Amino acid sequence: MKQNHVSPLHRTVGFGVLLLLWMLTPWASATAQPSDDPSPHSEATLVSEVETIAPGEPFTVAMHLQMDDGWHSYWKNAGDSGMASSIDWTLPEGFSAGEIQWPHPTVKEEGPLVTYGYSDETMLMVEITPPDDLEPGTEVTLAGRGDWLICEDICLPAHADLETTLLVDGEATPDAEWDDAFAQARAQHPRPAEGVSVQAYRSDGSFVLELEGDDLPDEGMRFIPGEKRTISNTAPQPVMHDGDTRYLALQASEYADGSTESLRGVLLGPDGFSWSTSDRPHPALAVDAPIEGEFTGDLSALSEAGTGASSTSLSLWGALGFAFIGGLLLNLMPCVFPVISLKILGFAKKAGEQPRIMRRHGGLFAAGVLVSFWVLAGLLLALRAAGEQIGWGFQLQSPGFIALMALLFVGIGLNLSGLFEIGMNLTSVGSTVQQKASGYGESFLTGVLATIVATPCTAPLMGAALGVALTMSAVEAMSIFTALGVGMAAPYVVLSSVPALLNRLPKPGPWMETMKQLLAFPMFATALWLVWVFGQQVSIDGVALLLGAFLLLGLAGWVLGRWPAMQVEGRTWMASRAVVTTVVVGALSMAILGASTGAPAPSSETGAAETSWQSFSTEQVDALRTDGTPVFIDFTAAWCLTCQVNKRTTLNAESVQQAFDDKDVTLVRADWTNRDDEITQALAEFDRSGVPLYVLYPGDGSDPVVLPEVLTPQIVLDALEELPDTEGRNSSLALQE
């Protein structure tokens, strides 16, 4: 604890000015097929390579999948998203089916994700083995259900009932209609290459593929893993060469558990390259290489001929730049400025101290910010690795966290207002060094608190950087969170390092006590906002319990201030501390109990601006788009101050509401105040991990428009002006409860 007249936790609540910055992120759109079409944008049939079959003699059939232009399905390892196609067989007694024989896939880059699949058409072949006791002259029917995912910029589940009837004869006879199609499909199957040896090694937790042989490509090779959670699909795969030997560096997946014993998959060469095999050149080399141990060479000493690294590097550097700028802008957000402005007051108080002492305070504040960002990033990445769907600001989806934060700010406000003093009741035992050590701890803790209250405010330019961070490797993601922390802490490190700037600050004096007490009211304002957020998450009974906790906390503060430690002795001191401890425990218990009361009962909205909004549902939004109805989606949360400002100043404005009506736009509100996996998934489709997000789907199936994170009426009106004329269009598929 610290002995001075300013609270050991310098914090305040001020109201920053929202900046009018934006980013437009294009995201393609597509029109979904009606829900009664089992195989939208695609068609599957079961075809056979033979017209007649022989008892006991294996033959090949295939699910022939045809897809509309621009649509695709997925390989056995779909990559970062998607789902492999499958066939659930219903065969006559005695028949057995083998595994799907997969043609090599193509690599598809979809935003920050990489997937593997097929376009136009593909043949998924399966070997069928009949029993030995078939009767020649009889017919057999092979049936099954094929399931696949068909995607453009939306993904739709699809299925088809497959069936074909074949005649049993003494010998199998080819079906001339499909002979060429099966031959072409086999030509796309990966094959082992002649004269090429492939070995795999570990290297600093990642992998190296070593290829030896003649006429190997110098660049452009791409390894596609046959299993998920082996390598990072998005990481570059640089090619190093040493004579006739090629080394392909592969970054391990952050989800890999270290148990990988071999690298199995497909190796593609550059465009136009074919691997020499025993029967014909093939575009894809089959790889099944046991991991031999640690790679003992020095890759850094070899020349790199790989391509693609520069674009990934640029995207990472761009994300780091956006993260740094976003961290700077966080200082101006309404939920951060409170703490920061009081930190400036602390600098003013210490303006007369030695420059090296001030630099230490600034460095420790920065350390508190960075450590907090690292802890939050580690928690995000750990939960993501466990398969959780979460996003930035996720802790404010917990009513318990909200309640504890509200109690914290009420306690800080009571302390600032002078109801009690922490640190003034210590004995004078302790040197100046100890006092300064307490001050250093104060600077560190202020940085921690600044980060905690910053998370609900996803500043402009920061949302995209966070979205990218959650799709990158753990090291890259931690780098982005570090850039955020550095950006947020930078102004205070500069301020504490430049004496000329510090000398321009007001000198310490009696005004500081007045300012300290005045700053209690912004703290109470922050607590009021948190109560409002809390009320969106729990019942009115829960809010009453939280207000009761505030009352108990006030009582504890009064007792602490009425009988401070060094002004009373003996039993009075012990009794006051027992009362304070009991009352604080009671306040915490009431707050937690209030957080567990459950969601609030639905309330009837008043006013046309509110009643016109529908609840979010992916299925219903797709139905509206299919019907050609323009849709505007407001991804929001009660704890997001930027969202609330946008709603009151722009979305509820009479001119904007009238424009929505004139354009026949259906308004959808995706409320992320409490955890909602469907909304989290929808945000992820736009590379976002937090709110606000505003998406306008035109009614003609064209690309959606992503509006800026900070809105003005004119921005929305300009976007609506670009919509095609939808007058008279049927909008009967309005969202229904």
Side-chain angles (χ1 to χ4, degrees):
M1 297 296 180
K2 182 181 172 187
Q3 301 181 36
N4 57 35
H5 292 281
V6 181
S7 170
L9 296 178
H10 284 341
R11 302 167 179 91
T12 178
V13 174
F15 295 96
V17 178
L18 293 177
L19 301 178
L20 298 180
L21 298 174
W22 64 86
M23 284 187 306
L24 295 177
T25 304
W27 192 267
S29 163
T31 302
Q33 289 288 336
S35 58
D36 58 355
D37 183 358
S39 57
H41 302 288
S42 55
E43 182 179 355
T45 55
L46 185 62
V47 297
S48 175
E49 193 174 16
V50 296
E51 286 185 316
T52 63
I53 63 175
E57 184 176 331
F59 60 96
T60 302
V61 298
M63 182 171 77
H64 181 218
L65 183 59
Q66 295 176 292
M67 294 157 276
D68 291 352
D69 289 345
W71 293 79
H72 61 270
S73 60
Y74 292 97
W75 189 51
K76 64 179 180 179
N77 173 13
D80 290 325
S81 67
M83 181 182 70
S85 303
S86 63
I87 305 173
D88 184 15
W89 290 102
T90 303
L91 301 176
E93 185 177 356
F95 281 73
S96 62
E99 299 294 327
I100 293 177
Q101 301 168 26
W102 297 91
H104 79 81
T106 57
V107 179
K108 300 181 183 296
E109 295 185 0
E110 302 176 302
L113 308 180
V114 169
T115 61
Y116 311 119
Y118 310 104
S119 300
D120 299 326
E121 67 174 320
T122 189
M123 299 268 287
L124 302 182
M125 297 191 293
V126 176
E127 184 177 81
I128 304 293
T129 303
D132 296 329
D133 57 354
L134 288 179
E135 288 272 342
T138 60
E139 290 184 340
V140 295
T141 298
L142 310 179
R145 171 181 163 126
D147 288 274
W148 64 97
L149 197 64
I150 186 74
C151 299
E152 190 191 38
D153 293 303
I154 60 171
C155 286
L156 304 170
H159 71 271
D161 293 325
L162 309 174
E163 185 176 292
T164 187
T165 299
L166 301 172
L167 177 67
V168 179
D169 201 351
E171 62 179 354
T173 56
D175 187 336
E177 179 183 357
W178 291 100
D179 206 26
D180 288 343
F182 275 88
Q184 292 174 11
R186 284 194 174 90
Q188 300 301 312
H189 286 186
R191 292 283 192 276
E194 291 183 334
V196 176
S197 67
V198 182
Q199 292 180 296
Y201 301 92
R202 297 188 188 276
S203 177
D204 295 329
S206 290
F207 306 102
V208 173
L209 273 182
E210 181 185 86
L211 292 88
E212 292 184 352
D214 298 329
D215 300 323
L216 294 175
D218 287 334
E219 59 181 27
M221 287 191 287
R222 175 68 180 248
F223 176 70
I224 303 176
E227 300 166 336
K228 287 183 176 290
R229 301 177 181 271
T230 304
I231 70 168
S232 170
N233 301 305
T234 58
Q237 298 183 5
V239 180
M240 276 67 71
H241 54 89
D242 184 11
D244 292 335
T245 304
R246 303 291 181 269
Y247 300 94
L248 192 62
L250 305 173
Q251 181 177 306
S253 167
E254 60 191 284
Y255 304 113
D257 58 7
S259 62
T260 303
E261 297 181 353
S262 64
L263 292 182
R264 291 187 289 268
V266 175
L267 188 63
L268 302 179
D271 291 342
F273 180 84
S274 294
W275 304 92
S276 177
T277 63
S278 57
D279 50 357
R280 66 172 73 181
H282 278 267
L285 174 67
V287 173
D288 188 355
I291 295 177
E292 304 292 339
E294 287 291 326
F295 183 72
T296 57
D298 184 5
L299 290 177
S300 63
L302 302 175
S303 58
E304 178 180 336
T307 59
S310 60
S311 62
T312 301
S313 256
L314 285 175
S315 66
L316 175 59
W317 282 111
L320 290 173
F322 279 130
F324 178 79
I325 296 172
L328 287 173
L329 294 177
L330 270 177
N331 293 311
L332 298 179
M333 291 291 104
C335 46
V336 182
F337 195 74
V339 176
I340 299 310
S341 60
L342 195 53
K343 186 59 188 173
I344 297 295
L345 179 64
F347 283 147
K349 176 181 177 295
K350 299 178 178 66
E353 296 188 3
Q354 300 177 25
R356 63 184 182 85
I357 301 298
M358 294 308 305
R359 287 194 293 271
R360 289 177 186 175
H361 280 290
L364 283 166
F365 175 83
V369 171
L370 286 173
V371 169
S372 301
F373 269 100
W374 291 336
V375 170
L376 286 172
L379 182 58
L380 281 167
L381 294 173
L383 292 176
R384 183 185 69 175
E388 292 288 336
Q389 293 183 329
I390 56 174
W392 187 244
F394 68 94
Q395 67 271 40
L396 291 178
Q397 293 176 331
S398 166
F401 183 86
I402 291 289
L404 294 178
M405 285 297 295
L407 282 173
L408 172 63
F409 277 95
V410 167
I412 293 170
L414 294 175
N415 180 216
L416 289 173
S417 62
L419 184 64
F420 64 93
E421 293 287 349
I422 298 179
M424 293 303 294
N425 52 7
L426 295 177
T427 66
S428 58
V429 178
S431 64
T432 303
V433 174
Q434 289 173 314
Q435 294 179 29
K436 290 184 176 180
S438 177
Y440 292 153
E442 173 193 346
S443 294
F444 181 86
L445 292 174
T446 304
V448 172
L449 182 65
T451 306
I452 291 174
V453 300
T455 52
C457 287
T458 305
L461 300 181
M462 198 176 82
L466 286 171
V468 173
L470 292 177
T471 63
M472 287 184 167
S473 69
V475 173
E476 291 169 325
M478 289 296 289
S479 299
I480 289 177
F481 280 101
T482 300
L484 275 169
V486 170
M488 183 173 174
Y492 309 98
V493 174
V494 171
L495 185 62
S496 63
S497 301
V498 182
L501 294 177
L502 287 171
N503 291 334
R504 293 172 183 261
L505 295 175
K507 298 300 180 183
W511 64 269
M512 296 184 63
E513 185 66 23
T514 301
M515 178 62 70
K516 180 175 79 81
Q517 294 181 9
L518 180 62
L519 291 175
F521 294 95
M523 284 294 173
F524 293 139
T526 298
L528 182 63
W529 165 63
L530 289 169
V531 171
W532 179 78
V533 174
F534 189 74
Q536 309 299 309
Q537 300 171 318
V538 302
S539 67
I540 189 63
D541 292 338
V543 174
L545 286 169
L546 181 58
L547 295 177
F550 290 170
L551 179 63
L552 291 181
L553 194 61
L555 174 61
W558 177 77
V559 172
L560 193 60
R562 180 67 179 82
W563 291 286
M566 296 311 298
Q567 295 180 15
V568 296
E569 297 179 358
R571 295 181 180 178
T572 302
W573 182 85
M574 295 295 294
S576 67
R577 291 307 172 270
V579 169
V580 168
T581 302
T582 302
V583 173
V584 169
V585 170
L588 292 173
S589 301
M590 288 185 70
I592 297 302
L593 182 61
S596 64
T597 58
S603 60
S604 57
E605 300 281 4
T606 59
E610 291 301 325
T611 56
S612 59
W613 291 88
Q614 308 290 331
S615 297
F616 177 81
S617 163
T618 301
E619 180 181 350
Q620 292 169 323
V621 168
D622 289 344
L624 282 165
R625 295 177 58 202
T626 300
D627 191 43
T629 302
V631 180
F632 180 87
I633 306 179
D634 170 20
F635 291 88
T636 185
W639 39 261
C640 170
L641 287 183
T642 306
C643 303
Q644 301 309 316
V645 172
N646 286 338
K647 182 167 75 170
R648 284 160 175 75
T649 62
T650 299
L651 298 181
N652 286 353
E654 184 176 350
S655 60
V656 173
Q657 286 289 316
Q658 185 61 51
F660 282 138
D661 290 341
D662 292 343
K663 290 292 186 176
D664 196 24
V665 177
T666 297
L667 303 178
V668 177
R669 180 156 286 152
D671 191 342
W672 206 43
T673 300
N674 292 318
R675 180 186 173 95
D676 188 310
D677 289 341
E678 185 177 16
I679 294 176
T680 304
Q681 181 61 38
L683 287 167
E685 291 175 2
F686 288 90
D687 296 337
R688 297 295 180 88
S689 58
V691 292
L693 174 65
Y694 305 102
V695 180
L696 176 62
Y697 288 100
D700 60 354
S702 59
D703 294 351
V705 176
V706 178
L707 301 184
E709 292 172 318
V710 178
L711 295 179
T712 65
Q714 194 58 49
I715 290 174
V716 180
L717 293 175
D718 289 345
L720 294 174
E721 187 64 29
E722 299 297 321
L723 289 180
D725 185 11
T726 58
E727 185 175 355
R729 184 180 295 275
N730 176 24
S731 60
S732 60
L733 287 179
L735 294 175
Q736 301 175 2
E737 294 296 331

